[in-house]
Every structure is written in C-alpha cells, then in structure tokens.
Amino acid sequence: GAVVSQHPSWVICKSGTSVKIECRSLDFQATTMFWYRQFPKQSLMLMATSNEGSKATYEQGVEKDKFLINHASLTLSTLTVTSAHPEDSSFYICSGGTTTDTQYFGPGTRLTVL
Amino acid sequence: GENVEQHPSTLSVQEGDSAVIKCTYSDSASNYFPWYKQELGKGPQLIIDIRSNVGEKKDQRIAVTLNKTAKHFSLHITETQPEDSAVYFCAASKETSGSRLTFGEGTQLTVNP
C-alpha cells in the first residue's frame, strides 16, 4: 500500500515556541493532503485540507494563523504550530489523498507543550 | 453536512469468534466508505474500502457490506486473533467533497486469547 511518513514522531517543546511537522508521501503523489488532530480515546478531527501550490482550507474553529500549512509539492506538506501552548498538546496526523478518494495516513506526531 | 455514527463503541470477543461493527451515514450522496484500523500510538491504517456501486467486498478474514437504501455499512472480521485488537474507524466521503472523510467515533475491539 501507499506509504506516508511524518517527522518527527514525537516532540516536546516549551510554551511559546513554534514546532514544524513534516508529512511526506513516499511512493505516490498526493493530490491533496489533510491534517488531523486526535485527542486520547477520540476520533480524528480534520484541521485543514491542502492542495499543492494552493492555500490550505481550514475547518471551522481552526486558527489558520496558529496552524500554518505549506504544501510545497505533491509529496510534501508541513504543519507549523506557532506559539504553542499546553492546550495544543495532541497527536497530529497527516494523510495523503489520491484521485480515487483513498486517504493514506502517516504514523502521527505526538506534540507535548510544557 | 455528513454525519457518521458507529456502534458499538467497545467490543470484546473471544479469539476465533467473529466481530461486527456497524456504521450509518446521513448523506445519500456519499459514495466511498473506508475502514481504518488504529493501533495505540500509531496512525490509522486502511484495511478495506467499498464504493457505492458494490454491495459487498471481502479480503481474507475481513469483509464490508453496504446497504445504500438504509445508509449503513458494516465491517465483519472472522476468526479473530489477538492482533486484531485495536480501534476501528469507519468513514464516508463523496465526490464533491474533495476526498474529505467524515469519521465515526471509533470502536475499541479487544480479542481475548
């Protein structure tokens, strides 16, 4: 199956700093990339959708100035959490979408903000 | 918008038994229904999917059925094994949503040896 990688797999940072998470589709070109966050024992919550070379579309309630998304190529998207605070601590997961609607998910990034 | 409900939230079975997880969706325009398995601390893994032009799909011990009229679809796992223990999510999307998935709340499946 298609493989999506994320880096880093976990990160701990101090409150007020920014953190960048990379998402790469390794063996396919993702026409669309999605970013989710997931709290313990809960479902995936879509944060934003991005297409290569276009501005991301954010879900209602997601601050676009806080969660910066860049989709530079068909195989790379980045999520930057700016001025992180403890409430931003979560499991962030990206996925790559194909023209057949199938989404392949990355392994996730555990963010802990102290 | 689309709403996906998933039942049960937890399911415990004995090894070798079958497990069934059910989902209902609200938007009749939805036409793609994937199932994901998520192990603790990992990302969701696609295990099977079905499109609206098919009523049933099987892959070894896993099968999915779709009833478009009733707007529900189910995941069937036969001959369960301890390694099947995980959280399973159903989801739905439609062509006009740009592959945007709406997820169910998940089912924690525990297979007891």
Side-chain angles (χ1 to χ4, degrees), chain B residues 3 13 19-20 39 41 50 60 68 71 80 83 91 103 106 112:
Chain B
N3 181 49
V13 299
V20 180
E39 297 177 342
I50 192 168
Q60 299 183 339
K68 287 171 53 182
K71 289 189 284 188
T80 54
E83 50 266 38
F103 282 88
N112 301 299

Side-chain angles (χ1 to χ4, degrees), chain A residues 32 34 36 38 41-44 46 49 59 91 93 97-108 110, chain B residues 31-32 36 38 41-46 49 51 89 93-95 97-101 103-106 108:
Chain A
T32 307
F34 302 84
Y36 298 81
Q38 186 179 35
K41 297 188 183 299
Q42 292 189 21
S43 188
L44 288 82
L46 180 64
T49 303
E59 294 298 299
F91 192 51
I93 314 171
T98 67
T99 54
T100 61
D101 296 332
T102 305
Q103 284 189 35
Y104 297 98
F105 285 82
R110 172 74 57 195
Chain B
N31 60 355
Y32 175 63
Y36 290 89
Q38 186 177 27
K42 298 183 179 181
Q45 176 190 8
L46 179 68
D49 56 10
R51 298 186 186 274
F89 291 99
S93 74
K94 57 186 178 182
E95 286 182 47
S97 69
S99 302
R100 187 182 185 280
L101 290 172
F103 282 88
E105 290 302 307
Q108 173 68 63

Side-chain angles (χ1 to χ4, degrees), chain B residues 26-96:
Chain B
S26 60
D27 191 342
S28 57
S30 289
N31 60 355
Y32 175 63
F33 308 94
W35 285 90
Y36 290 89
K37 174 184 180 183
Q38 186 177 27
E39 297 177 342
L40 191 62
K42 298 183 179 181
Q45 176 190 8
L46 179 68
I47 56 172
I48 197 166
D49 56 10
I50 192 168
R51 298 186 186 274
S52 58
N53 58 345
V54 177
E56 184 174 356
K57 184 176 178 181
K58 190 174 181 180
D59 182 4
Q60 299 183 339
R61 297 186 297 111
I62 295 173
V64 56
T65 59
L66 171 65
N67 183 326
K68 287 171 53 182
T69 303
K71 289 189 284 188
H72 68 70
F73 56 112
S74 301
L75 177 71
H76 304 253
I77 305 175
T78 59
E79 300 172 27
T80 54
Q81 301 166 2
E83 50 266 38
D84 294 330
S85 297
V87 178
Y88 291 80
F89 291 99
C90 64
S93 74
K94 57 186 178 182
E95 286 182 47
T96 56

Side-chain angles (χ1 to χ4, degrees), chain A residues 75-94:
Chain A
T75 60
L76 173 64
S77 177
T78 60
L79 168 67
T80 301
V81 183
T82 62
S83 187
H85 288 95
E87 57 266 31
D88 298 323
S89 298
S90 190
F91 192 51
Y92 291 88
I93 314 171
C94 70

